[in-house]
Amino acid sequence: MTLISEHIETDTREKILVVAERLFRQIGYQKTTVADIAKELRMSPANVYRFFDSKKAIHEGVARTLMGEVEVEAQRIAQAAGPASVRLRQMIKTINRMNTERYVGDSKLHEMVEIAMQEDWGVCVAHMEMIARTIGQVIGQGAASGEFEVADLQLASLCACTAMMRFFHPQMIAQCATKPGPSIDQMIDFVIAGLSPRAKAN
Amino acid sequence: MTLISEHIETDTREKILVVAERLFRQIGYQKTTVADIAKELRMSPANVYRFFDSKKAIHEGVARTLMGEVEVEAQRIAQAAGPASVRLRQMIKTINRMNTERYVGDSKLHEMVEIAMQEDWGVCVAHMEMIARTIGQVIGQGAASGEFEVADLQLASLCACTAMMRFFHPQMIAQCATKPGPSIDQMIDFVIAGLSPRAKAN
């Protein structure tokens, strides 16, 4: 019995997040209320509050789902076969593409990002750390194969992520779209150069 | 007579900018009105409008002055003697320090940056281009001396600037202050590695 009721609970939790994400996309993050979400699910707001103790908790849950999908794609590339530099490029471009689709331009989800940044959500930091670790996995594979030369793997991953901020950070993607700067492929070339074996000092 | 009156005109323009900057720092960018600036200078708002055709033009003038000071410091370092990598580090840290002092934390000037970014001011783009060119000068000197190996100087400068976004961009400096990431020196090491001569391919 416990297992079945736990399953139903998880299911309701998921349903709330799916409906919340759809409403955020349709009418925007700020305008969506817990009552709207409850109404769509034909349940009472009180019942929604049994699963999420605040409106913010629902928002974080939706953000977590969206970020989790990017993490799954990045993980898939980290575990695939092929040269590390090819997969690093593919991973960086995938993160850029998914973040651009989700959060930039006309997307109403951009509102959610702005608030998440202002309020300094823990889910964002956890996501950035997960992305840095996944990028670190591929850099580590490249170091093992001799493609890359890395003294401190964790530091190299943080630097690679930081260098790509213009192409990862939703606010920077939006702000820099019309500004002069390198293309994403040119920037990846620069990062790969930074990870490549050095000439020995004369 | 023409020269003297031109001199007075320039002088008044400068005075307006100095007073405007002081008021922006004291009471904030949004709350300062053209009437406040005129009152401090014991002139009529109409007289201020003879020099700046809108409130925005005064704001841009103040931003231009603040950014110009950073450019002057960067230029000074570009023209100094010493190894290019040492001066590149000094220049990047100077830009970071000056932008942090001016625009981040409690500074009321941060408000001005937020608006400049939202409204997509041309002065910001011109400033970024000037900083990229100045960084390019030092990278070019390093390429000439053999410290750096650069195929496309303009591209290398844009990539170096883009890689340092976390430490240059006022909004990113503010947002990333409490986030995990490399130190500025570690990030500069990474950029210098990207500019350094490659090992020949086997």
Side-chain angles (χ1 to χ4, degrees), chain B residues 116-133:
Chain B
M117 294 293 167
Q118 276 162 28
E119 296 184 353
D120 212 5
W121 289 4
V123 285
C124 299
V125 174
H127 173 63
M128 288 187 290
E129 285 176 340
M130 172 58 106
I131 291 296
R133 269 199 304 279

Side-chain angles (χ1 to χ4, degrees), chain A residues 120 169 171 175 179 198, chain B residues 120 169 171 175 179 193 198:
Chain A
D120 213 4
H169 191 303
Q171 288 175 309
Q175 215 174 81
K179 302 282 185 306
R198 300 270 81 66
Chain B
D120 212 5
H169 190 303
Q171 288 176 309
Q175 214 175 81
K179 302 284 184 306
R198 302 270 80 68

Side-chain angles (χ1 to χ4, degrees), chain A residues 7 20 39 53 90 101 116 123 136 141 149 153 182:
Chain A
H7 189 74
K39 199 176 160 197
D53 59 10
Q90 196 187 346
E101 281 167 7
V123 285
Q141 293 158 7
E149 186 177 283
L153 181 58

